[in-house]
């Protein structure tokens, strides 16, 4: 991992931090507390935890006389870094009424003040290790911006009268192009990150791998296509599913993607812009790996591996529907390019379990817990989504979720053998 | 049940309603949302639900053109009246961020305005049925005032740094008198409510019952006495416990009353006034029926029946440590009377399962669900506590909780055969 | 509790013990192992545990040089006497493959041999305490004979092709007489056991109690009457149920009594004689307290208290359909007496929680755990059933089960106020 | 997949089937019923299910007039082939007392008789598809022989006095050679099955893959080495574990491998030969993937991928400690070869999630459910164990278990980067 050497460090810090405030500016105080399931966190917690990260790993480490804003916060806002101490149970984050939202904002301000002071120095004078951790901290805050939006959607959906985060807007933007597949020859390739830009430790090292010939779809599977799977009895046909997947379907009573609801003969879904008609031309979203895998089997195709995905799409321009657009839902706007929506709109499930790259080395110390310890039972997703900050995504970026999870903005793109 | 005919109806309504506001005036908005377990409710919910009660059972029923403040609230703030519709799941009350606290207060104001208008009429012109329901609504709000305090204590205890509801105050007030027993002869007696004052349907009818001779302790068991039970291995000795009780002890890992914590060699407890030293002379509180029963067996005594309790203590003056004193914890202040603390301080577990009195008739309609449908698996407690409004308690009042519950302010008084 | 002084002690011991063998003589070895839920036990376990009782409380206590058949059995076949040691988990009784059934029978023989030797002495020479425990042991074995039958029915019902314990026999025996009620005047009465015959400690002491006037049905509620409750939507109407009861209905998906199944338009049920048509004139069986209580509310009546039941029916002759008849299901055979089926056929739920009688004293030592420690959360049933040994039942006999339990042979009889 | 063309088909069928009987010949009937957890099955069920396989997929398919032994068995003894119908719940297999063991043996005989008749024909006349399914059926029965032994060990361990399957025998056989690593160069290689012999669909097709240089240990990790990990606090140090792994350690209270118990200062373990001293020179066994992974991290190494394992060890001779030796526990007998115990003794965890090989195609029809539908959340193990039939194992054989599972005979071998 290398660090971006920039005169604009401070500006970047303020921009990223400021975006977190922008996201929450229209919330009611009550909204900041919601935690409707263990795996989602209250907005207030996200705002405090990202601040804790800078306090713990930078201010505490690099400022001799630094005084913590509140010693208790060190415990309260640790997420899962066990080397730092036993974290507060994740399921009880919604029960922390104090510090209040206002105090949390004061905590952010306190840390920002000290960070600004620190970053006002000549970057060349700063410890390169500090710059490295700073970059991780900013990437970390961006990840939590995405989590704030994911979790708010989930939490709002548990309000009996769910509030809309955005003004309602479900205008149809375009039509999905016909589904086609582009072929790639077999051969050695390289995947993973190298070079100067930032990447997480799980993206490294760049390494050789052999790919068999394959083909990859021009665009993600759409809502309309997924409706056909449902109508064809997709959720009732065991032979289409992995065994663990079908068990989940039965245990959870799944009949459609998360947030979908049937209104008589048509489909609606709950979004950050409220409850809207489902646009059949937009990518399907909020599906689990199991649903993506079952759809692919139904369609006579398969999901791509993460190496195939990266080999095929690493050179696409990173543009599209990202958090900064503040649409915050996948759309039916298409570009006409050979590959549509490689980045943005929806994270794309791959068939690749999340494991370590050959010869990879986790970071040392507590930050080594950032990624490596999650390398079991999860699968890799690629490409970023409509709630991912644009500046956060890279072709080599590896997101990962358990196969049954659906609250992330996840869709998928089909692949096949040649 | 009869209704108090009074020119002061309106004043009484405003007083009770106003007390609810007084209780919450120092809370942060965030505190209003907390729900740390299914059986406790957010403060905001209590404020809305008590308001719903007046809207549903009075305004909707007695004002022709009444327009609901918000139709959705009819669903949201129903507790358990199934004849009115399927209530929102109790476990998800903490996930309702909207209406906000401010909107909830506006809802209260809306209903109060219409109630005031209604009650400004000559009471003699008002439907007697309305007056009856009004009285139930006021008693109901008082019950929820107690619940607000019970639930806040429970919820605050789940804050890693628990806030204090009151300024800390743990001054020792006195010494417990020696434990003595007063004897009552065998014979027929009468228990239950009759006459003009208000009572719930479960306190009626007043009826004859036969009591064997018994004796009853002069005061509740104290913290100091309960410590001796703990030191004597009380929580580890199966032979002292009911079978279901000991199972609960093992499943829950109980080693002391709720909110107690050992600090080296001394005992502390969490109260609405923060974490304080335990006063050995104050009544033990936050014990389950199982713990009360086990203590009694250990002490070679038993708990009284509810008939014994009422027969012995119905004529005591109702005075003592109640909600209005705003101490909100049992104290070691003793009066020197023959029976100490018959009312106030702690609810006293009896050995009597909560069942219907002979020939009792539940109220008709939805309000019949108020009490009768809970007549299984619970036990009766008597006497009121330091979080019960003084004007709410009566000698015939029957409170009831499941035997494993501890978040109510419950203690106990010993009895014995003669 | 007093002990039956009889020259026929040995004969009685051999009779009771022999009946246990008779009950299981047609079982396959595989059947002896079944445990389909924690609350039922394998037949083999019952046979061993009842033997353990004599070994533990008599042979070990009264024969100096007694050598245990196998020290491990002392642990394995203790049920719940915690003063004797921590019992093997009830849920794992079905996992004990060794001792085998044959070894278990050898264990029974070993203990019987020593018991015979002991009981061959002149009873007048025997320690009266021994005779008392012997009687408890025989009553205990009779209770387990009933349990063997209850548990086999439950376990067999989990075989995908359930075996029949008896040759199939579902002949209709008669018609239920019309439902009538007999009235009893208010006044003092006495209930509970006194005198020479055996009774458990929970039936004593005989004591005075006051009854209000009441009336009691001439016979238990029939299957046909219960079908009408079902057809009237009984299981869907919350207002008919206790709150805990309706919760159970929903959690468990109850739509009819245990072992019932609908075949097109008619009803069948699984019995110890296989799957048979339901006889509408026989008493309804395998209902929980909640169902009995809901039915009574639907019928505009109530269940009797146990004092009412005993007051009204204590003088009925104890005769009817008991275990020894080997019908092992309630029947539609009626006698024409004023009160039908007071004893036998079905245990009758009362509305009385199972609590201690005034001034009752549990037995000393481990046998004190026999009854008293279960005095919470359960309700009393009276009268014995078609799987109860005739010689085991008494007018004062108090059986008890949790309100949600249904695998016992339980029905109910209606009562009402006057 | 290709089929072994052999005149000895019938003999092979009889040999494999006969081995199942040999394994159970010393069991008591009661032992056949045990099911101590959902994931283990009763011995009787294994004997019936393997028979069902031949009846369902061969006799029913290839004999026109074939009459099933018992139609109900088609339902009862289906394991998980949903295309055939909804199987009986796995957790209730232990509740099937009928058919008895004797009837199950009669069922086996019935099917064997018809199979013998069928296989007495000239193999060249037999449908090649039949031969293919026959081979799968035999491989399937061998897998269940291993399961019978795994499950018996697990079930016996739940007997409070666990019976020994074998005469006790814990003689120490040798000493483990020093741990060394052998290096392999980077480059393309081929893995997976091809050619004439039988293989499951999940081992095909043979395909190219690129390996980075790596080194592999000469032998599996031993009990003695694993004790050092325990003594060093291995089970308490979160930093050594995958996140899901440490959660499992805490939830399950793991402190050592399954079946280990500490006796004062030494270690014992329960085996099919009873409870014996642990031989520090034998391979550690009954560890989960999480424990193997944590040990490797503690040792500064890693687990091999399945491609590395196969590349390195595919050419080792398949010999060692297998089921036929009837030792049924890993031993400390070493051969002196460069790689010790590549086959037999313990299955070796790899770090590879169990996924489909490139271009693999599951079998068509119900047999396609045999392997492919389990390709999520599990990891690959290689090499066979002391309870695997020798004739069942191949270099390309892919066994798979969930990472938390420990009742299989699983150990591991270390690898490392170069």
């Amino acid at each position: 991992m290398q660090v971006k050497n920039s005169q604009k460090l401070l500006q970047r810090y303020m921009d990223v931090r400021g975006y977190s405030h922008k996201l929450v500016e229209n919330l009611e105080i009550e909204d900041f507390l919601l935690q409707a399931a263990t795996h989602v966190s209250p907005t207030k917690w996200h705002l405090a935890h990202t601040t804790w990260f800078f306090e713990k790993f930078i201010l505490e480490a690099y400022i001799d006389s630094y005084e913590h804003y509140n010693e208790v916060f060190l415990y309260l806002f640790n997420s899962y870094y066990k080397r730092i101490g036993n974290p507060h149970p994740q399921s009880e984050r919604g029960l922390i009424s104090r510090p209040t939202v206002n105090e949390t904002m004061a905590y952010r301000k306190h840390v920002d003040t000290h960070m600004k002071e620190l970053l006002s120095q000549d970057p060349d004078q700063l410890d390169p290790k500090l710059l490295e951790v700073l970059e991780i901290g900013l990437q970390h805050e961006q990840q939590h911006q995405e989590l704030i939006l994911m979790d708010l959607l989930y939490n709002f959906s548990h309000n009996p009268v769910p509030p809309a985060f955005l003004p309602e807007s479900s205008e149809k933007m375009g039509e999905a192009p016909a589904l086609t597949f582009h072929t790639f020859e077999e051969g050695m390739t390289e995947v993973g990150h190298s070079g100067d830009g930032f990447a997480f430790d799980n993206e490294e090292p760049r390494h050789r791998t052999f790919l068999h010939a394959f083909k990859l779809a021009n665009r993600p599977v759409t809502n309309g296509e997924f409706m056909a799977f449902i109508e064809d009895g997709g959720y009732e046909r065991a032979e289409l599913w992995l065994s663990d997947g079908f068990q989940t379907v039965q245990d959870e009573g799944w009949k459609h993607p998360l947030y979908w609801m049937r209104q008589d003969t048509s489909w609606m879904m709950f979004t950050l812009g409220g409850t809207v008609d489902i646009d059949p031309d937009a990518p399907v979203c909020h599906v689990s790996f199991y649903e993506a895998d079952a759809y692919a089997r139904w369609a006579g195709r398969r999901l791509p591996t993460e190496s195939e995905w990266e080999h095929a799409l690493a050179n696409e321009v990173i543009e599209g529907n990202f958090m900064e657009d503040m649409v915050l839902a996948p759309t039916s706007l298409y570009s006409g390019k050979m590959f549509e929506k490689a980045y943005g709109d929806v994270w794309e499930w791959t068939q690749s379990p999340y494991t370590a790259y050959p010869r990879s080395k986790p970071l040392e110390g507590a930050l080594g817990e950032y990624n490596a310890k999650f390398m079991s039972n999860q699968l890799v997703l690629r490409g970023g989504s409509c709630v991912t900050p644009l500046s956060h995504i890279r072709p080599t970026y590896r997101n990962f979720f358990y196969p049954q999870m659906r609250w992330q903005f996840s869709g998928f793109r089909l692949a096949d053998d040649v």
Side-chain angles (χ1 to χ4, degrees), chain A:
Chain A
M1 183 173 43
Q2 302 240 353
V3 175
K4 201 178 193 174
N5 188 357
S6 158
Q7 298 302 323
K8 308 243 176 95
L9 257 187
L10 178 57
Q11 188 55 46
R12 177 120 186 289
Y13 176 85
M14 296 310 295
D15 284 352
V16 170
R17 296 282 286 173
Y19 227 103
S20 298
H21 296 149
K22 182 172 153 60
L23 285 178
V24 304
E25 71 194 359
N26 292 323
L27 294 182
E28 298 287 352
I29 285 182
E30 290 85 347
D31 298 331
F32 283 82
L33 271 280
L34 296 174
Q35 182 181 26
T38 296
H39 66 278
V40 302
S41 293
T43 305
K44 189 180 78 177
W45 190 90
H46 287 299
L47 295 174
H49 167 66
T50 48
T51 304
W52 168 91
F53 192 100
F54 289 111
E55 188 179 45
K56 178 73 199 168
F57 293 114
I58 296 187
L59 298 183
E60 181 183 309
Y62 293 96
I63 302 184
D64 281 350
S65 59
Y66 179 72
E67 290 191 17
H68 294 95
Y69 181 78
N70 185 328
E71 293 285 338
V72 173
F73 291 8
L74 292 179
Y75 164 74
L76 274 188
F77 300 122
N78 178 9
S79 52
Y80 54 68
Y81 298 84
K82 296 200 182 234
R83 271 175 259 203
I84 286 166
N86 217 25
H88 193 62
Q90 191 172 351
S91 59
E92 302 207 355
R93 289 176 183 166
L95 302 180
I96 307 172
S97 65
R98 316 283 181 96
T100 63
V101 172
N102 283 337
E103 285 170 306
T104 303
M105 291 305 190
Y107 174 43
R108 287 184 69 90
K109 196 164 178 183
H110 170 91
V111 167
D112 283 349
T113 302
H114 286 86
M115 285 296 294
K116 274 188 249 185
E117 207 172 304
L118 192 66
L119 299 182
S120 302
Q121 298 171 45
D122 177 354
D124 295 339
Q125 303 298 80
L126 289 172
D127 185 335
K129 182 74 190 162
L130 182 159
L131 295 178
E132 196 175 324
V133 176
L134 173 66
E135 186 59 37
I136 295 179
L138 293 172
Q139 298 280 341
H140 175 254
E141 181 126 5
Q142 290 186 309
Q143 290 182 317
H144 280 273
Q145 288 165 0
E146 178 156 359
L147 280 164
I148 284 171
L149 294 167
M150 287 158 59
D151 292 0
L152 271 174
L153 178 58
Y154 190 85
N155 287 325
F156 277 177
S157 77
H158 280 75
N159 258 296
V161 187
F165 180 81
L166 292 175
E168 191 173 319
S169 146
S170 63
E171 58 171 321
K172 188 148 177 33
M173 295 185 170
E175 282 183 24
L179 181 68
T180 57
F181 285 83
H182 302 296
T183 299
F184 295 83
E185 295 303 306
E186 75 167 32
M188 290 299 296
T189 187
E190 287 199 357
V191 294
H193 181 267
S194 71
D196 280 356
F198 173 81
F200 283 116
D201 52 1
N202 63 4
E203 301 169 51
E204 297 181 330
R206 189 163 179 83
H207 61 280
R208 285 164 292 162
T209 191
F210 179 78
L211 295 180
H212 294 79
F214 69 100
K215 47 193 183 182
L216 188 67
N218 61 324
R219 58 159 175 79
V221 167
T222 64
N223 286 319
E225 288 165 337
F226 203 83
M227 286 171 194
F229 168 74
I230 297 175
E231 300 304 330
D232 196 36
Y235 281 90
E236 289 87 46
R237 292 166 54 187
E239 74 271 19
L240 297 175
W241 297 77
L242 288 165
S243 179
D244 290 345
F246 199 66
Q247 192 62 49
T248 306
V249 166
Q250 294 186 307
D251 290 349
E252 303 292 325
W254 287 352
K255 297 183 185 317
H256 48 68
L258 186 62
Y259 302 131
W260 283 35
M261 56 205 105
R262 214 190 265 273
Q263 298 278 76
D264 305 321
T265 59
S266 69
W267 286 104
M268 310 283 287
M269 67 181 175
F270 182 63
T271 71
L272 286 167
T275 300
V276 300
D277 289 323
I278 293 181
D279 179 348
D281 286 289
V284 68
C285 192
H286 298 299
V287 289
S288 64
F289 169 76
Y290 294 132
E291 287 159 298
D293 170 81
Y295 178 94
R297 194 167 292 109
W298 173 78
R301 309 289 186 172
R302 61 172 176 82
L303 298 178
T305 65
E306 64 165 326
S307 296
E308 288 170 344
W309 195 100
E310 186 172 331
H311 177 73
L313 301 178
N315 293 325
E316 297 295 309
V317 180
I318 299 183
E319 61 186 9
N321 178 9
F322 285 99
M323 180 188 78
E324 292 83 348
D325 298 284
M326 286 303 273
V327 174
L328 307 184
T331 75
S332 55
L333 186 63
Y334 291 88
S335 65
K337 293 196 295 183
M338 176 172 144
F339 282 108
E340 294 278 0
K341 296 177 182 296
Y343 298 96
D345 276 298
V346 290
W347 287 102
E348 300 182 9
W349 285 108
T350 71
Q351 64 169 249
S352 298
Y354 176 49
T355 57
Y357 279 169
R359 291 153 202 252
S360 71
K361 297 282 174 233
L363 291 178
E364 284 179 17
L367 286 176
E369 298 187 48
Y370 201 106
N371 285 302
K373 76 177 179 183
F374 298 110
M375 288 178 171
S376 61
N377 305 312
Q378 309 208 44
L379 292 118
V380 173
L381 302 93
R382 293 297 193 109
S385 81
C386 55
V387 291
T388 309
L390 171 61
S391 66
H392 182 65
I393 204 68
R394 294 171 294 284
T396 60
Y397 197 100
R398 306 173 79 197
N399 202 350
F400 48 92
F401 284 99
Y402 289 101
Q404 73 275 19
M405 285 295 172
R406 316 204 292 176
W407 97 111
Q408 71 283 1
F409 285 71
S410 51
F412 59 102
R413 180 185 299 266
L414 296 174
D416 210 347
D417 299 332
V418 172

